[in-house]
Each structure stands twice: as C-alpha cells, then as structure tokens.
C-alpha cells in the first residue's frame, strides 16, 4: 500500500498514542506530545483543548454516524439492516490512519487502566446510542438491545480483523461480514 | 417485606454509595464513610484496603460465579443453557442488600464519570469472562461472543427490573426471564 502522509492533527494523535503506550497516559504531557509530533504547543491547542479530548474527539463523531445511519435507513429495513446501514456509514469514514494507529492505540490501552475504563465507557455509549436509535424507529426493546449489541460486536470484530492485516479490504466489508456471522450464530441459539 | 439488618461491612458499602452520590467519588474520604456507617476507620480497613476496593470487591466474585456456572454446566448443555447456569449461580448470591443498594449505586454512578468508566469496564470484563468460559467449552467463537452478550444483557435487564420493584420475585427468576426474551428476539432477527 502507498504510504499515507499525515497532517499536524494526525501526527499529534499518533505521537500521543505512542507516548501513552511508552510512558502511560497520566505522565505524558501536552509539551511532550507536541515535541514528538514536531509541532508547537500552540499548534496542539489549535487542534485539541487538552490531552483527554485528543482521545475522545473521534468518539462523538462515531456515535453520530452510527445513529444517523440507523435513523435514516428505509422504514422497511429490518433492525439488523438498519444497524448494518449505521455500521457502513461509520466504517466508511475510517481509512489508513485508523488502520496504522490501531496497534499502537491497543498497546496504549493495554498499559493503562484509565484508558481501559475510558474505552469501555465509549463502547457502552456506542451500544446505548444504537439501541436508542432503534427504539426511535419503533423496534421492540429486546430486539433493539440485541441488534445494537450485535452491531457493536460486529464493529469490534471487523475493526480487529481489518487492523490485523495489510490488504485491500475495507473496514466496511469486514464489519458487515462479521455482522453476517453473528446473525447466522443468532439463528442457531437454542 | 421485613427490614433486613445490615452488618458493619454492608453499612460501610451503603454509606460509601450514599456519600459518592452526594459529594462525588473523588472527594469522599474513608473517614467520612466510616463516620456515616457508625464505625471506626480501623473497622473500615479490616474490611477493605481502600475506597476503590469497596466498589470492586463484589465484581471479582460475580465474574467467578458466572464463569464457574458456565464451566460446570453439563457437557450436553447448549451455549445459552450454560450461560443460564452461570446467571443463576451469580443471581442466587444477591439478596435484599443488593436490591436496597441498587438505586443509590445508580445515583452515585450517574453523578461520576469516573464511576461510569469503572462500571463500563466491569461490564466489559464480565462479558469477556463469560465469552472465555464458553470458548473453553468448545463453543464456536461467534456463538460464544453472542451468547455471552445475551447473558450480560439479561443480567443487566433482570437486575434493573428486580431492583425497580419490591415484590417476592428473585433476581434469578427475572434474569432468566430476560434471557428467554432475548433468545426469542434472536430467532426473529433477519
């Protein structure tokens, strides 16, 4: 694959994730992140209000994309089809940077209980947002909860498999394939 | 229902949860918790090494009960039957104290991002523990993930409905009923 050229914002995120992995989230400073990224502290603060926002900035966007995709799916779509539409919309915004960043982010999270807690809360929040979007479509409660959990699992599994390799597959393809596997599994439960 | 009489350990947990809800987790001290519970600080430290452990003490026990129930289910049990066995084992250890504490714990969590993050991590950890117990039984991966998520959802929904009322139902009954609902929902997904 052709190398992708990051801008200042992307370099800041990658520098931060590397530093979190090496020295821990708590002890890493904004000055260190800016230095590693080769920019000034002022540049950092033009992009992010603080260290925490650097990590959660992408999360609100992801939640919005997932729920919009579900909400705007055709009225005739089944709950899982609506979830698939949300997953596709969110997955289509993720490209080479997300793929390259993933193993380092994983290392940073593995090294920090605080980041694990933040990551878990993010995951719970995404599930809740999808559940609410489905309930707003009139999906009955147990099916809405279940379809949202399947969507969340599919996104996690698709992301995991997409970032573990370096091929031409898209995150969307891998996420929808994971959703199909989970749907097949659901029909065999007894 | 007859009032249940808490011991020192239970009074400490309840006092802590109330103080967390009123003043926040960060600013609450061990001394305040002990005073509210009507015991000395030494008594606190006979029961818990610190403020954090007071909250997570129950969590390891819950995880162990869930996984033991899954692991020890008969070899012929389906994945969901094994999950039901884990849920039943965990639910049977919860009684009046858990029921009485639940709304206050919910208020404390709602008031603190830190407690929300901790709660989310706990939830992710329980799901992972159940998934691993199912994988160890030879359950295929997509079904193991799915059955564990159903179990987790059933436990949350069962706990939520059980603690919202004051009747003669047990947590086990409510959790298994929620699991049945989710199973029925799973077979209708398409």
């Amino acid at each position: 694959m052709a190398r992708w050229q990051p801008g200042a914002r992307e370099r800041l995120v990658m520098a931060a994730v590397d530093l979190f992995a090496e020295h821990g989230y708590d002890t890493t400073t904004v000055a260190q992140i800016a230095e590693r990224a080769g920019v000034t502290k002022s540049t950092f603060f033009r992009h992010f209000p603080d260290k925490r926002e650097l990590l959660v900035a992408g999360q609100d966007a992801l939640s919005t994309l997932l729920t919009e995709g579900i909400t705007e799916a055709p009225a005739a779509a089944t709950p899982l089809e609506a979830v698939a539409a949300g997953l596709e919309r969110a997955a289509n915004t993720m490209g080479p940077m997300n793929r390259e960043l993933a193993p380092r982010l994983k290392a940073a999270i593995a090294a920090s209980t605080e980041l694990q807690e933040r990551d878990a809360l993010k995951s719970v929040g995404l599930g809740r947002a999808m559940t609410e979007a489905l309930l707003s479509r009139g999906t009955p409660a147990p099916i809405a909860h279940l379809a949202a959990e399947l969507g969340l699992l599919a996104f996690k599994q698709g992301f995991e498999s997409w970032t573990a390799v370096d091929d031409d597959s898209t995150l969307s393809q891998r996420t929808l394939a994971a959703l199909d596997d989970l749907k097949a599994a659901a029909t065999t439960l007894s």
Side-chain angles (χ1 to χ4, degrees), chain A:
Chain A
M1 270 193 340
R3 277 298 103 183
W4 142 90
Q5 295 299 325
R9 186 181 175 93
E10 289 74 22
R11 288 208 309 279
L12 282 164
V13 173
M14 300 184 80
V17 167
D18 280 350
L19 287 163
F20 295 163
E22 290 164 24
H23 307 295
Y25 172 78
D26 281 337
T27 55
T28 300
T29 65
V30 166
Q32 290 169 326
I33 296 169
E35 190 190 347
R36 174 81 64 106
V39 303
T40 62
K41 270 179 74 172
S42 309
T43 301
F44 180 100
F45 290 118
R46 267 205 303 281
H47 289 281
F48 304 102
D50 56 33
K51 181 174 74 166
R52 187 183 192 284
E53 278 308 307
L54 184 143
L55 279 183
V56 302
Q59 161 183 351
D60 290 345
L62 190 58
S63 183
T64 302
L65 290 160
L66 285 168
T67 51
E68 279 179 1
I70 292 171
T71 304
E72 294 170 16
T78 66
L80 270 195
E81 286 167 353
V83 165
L87 292 175
E88 210 169 352
R89 190 175 296 208
N92 284 338
T93 64
M94 297 210 171
M97 172 176 166
N98 302 91
R99 203 171 195 172
E100 193 170 330
L101 199 61
R104 305 192 216 174
L105 186 56
K106 199 172 166 179
I109 291 172
S112 160
T113 304
E114 184 174 356
L115 291 187
Q116 285 164 36
E117 290 175 345
R118 192 152 295 168
D119 190 58
L121 186 61
K122 167 181 157 180
S123 166
V124 168
L126 292 178
R128 192 169 299 153
M130 286 196 280
T131 302
E132 275 160 22
L134 286 165
L135 291 171
S136 299
R137 287 176 62 86
T139 306
I143 297 180
H145 281 103
L146 180 62
E149 288 300 330
L150 289 185
L152 195 59
L153 267 180
F155 196 79
K156 284 182 196 168
Q157 291 175 3
F159 191 79
E160 179 85 21
S161 81
W162 180 62
T163 54
V165 294
D166 186 13
D167 64 6
D168 289 335
S169 68
T170 64
L171 175 57
S172 178
Q173 287 165 344
R174 290 190 173 261
T175 300
L176 295 180
L179 187 64
D180 276 345
D181 288 350
L182 287 164
K183 179 176 142 186
T187 59
T188 69
L189 285 176
S190 61

